[in-house]
Amino acid sequence: MAETRSYTVTGMSCGHCESAVTQELSQLAGVADIQVSSAAGSLTITVQDDATVTDEAVIAAVDEAGYSASPARL
């Protein structure tokens, strides 16, 4: 079963920001779906059940795009 994870992202302000984050995250093996909202400062990804995508890898990918991320607190 796939797992959905949410993160808070700071520093994004436009569609280009969303595209940059999406592009970096799409390079992570096992990420099946990516939803980024600069307006909400949020990121939601769906990870395939057999993937080993860590929060650290997601945060590093967002950092590579030029922004900061942390797991969202529910």
Side-chain angles (χ1 to χ4, degrees):
M1 174 162 224
E3 176 186 3
T4 301
R5 301 182 198 166
S6 297
Y7 299 85
T8 300
V9 181
T10 56
M12 296 188 303
S13 61
C14 64
H16 174 71
C17 301
E18 294 171 359
S19 294
V21 170
T22 300
Q23 182 176 17
E24 289 297 329
L25 290 169
S26 66
Q27 296 178 35
L28 296 177
V31 175
D33 185 53
I34 304 164
Q35 300 295 320
V36 184
S37 172
S38 58
S42 66
L43 160 66
T44 302
I45 62 169
T46 301
V47 178
Q48 297 170 349
D49 60 349
D50 58 345
T52 56
V53 177
T54 64
D55 286 340
E56 291 78 14
V58 172
I59 292 167
V62 173
D63 184 64
E64 186 67 27
Y67 310 98
S68 299
S70 61
R73 297 208 163 103
L74 299 176

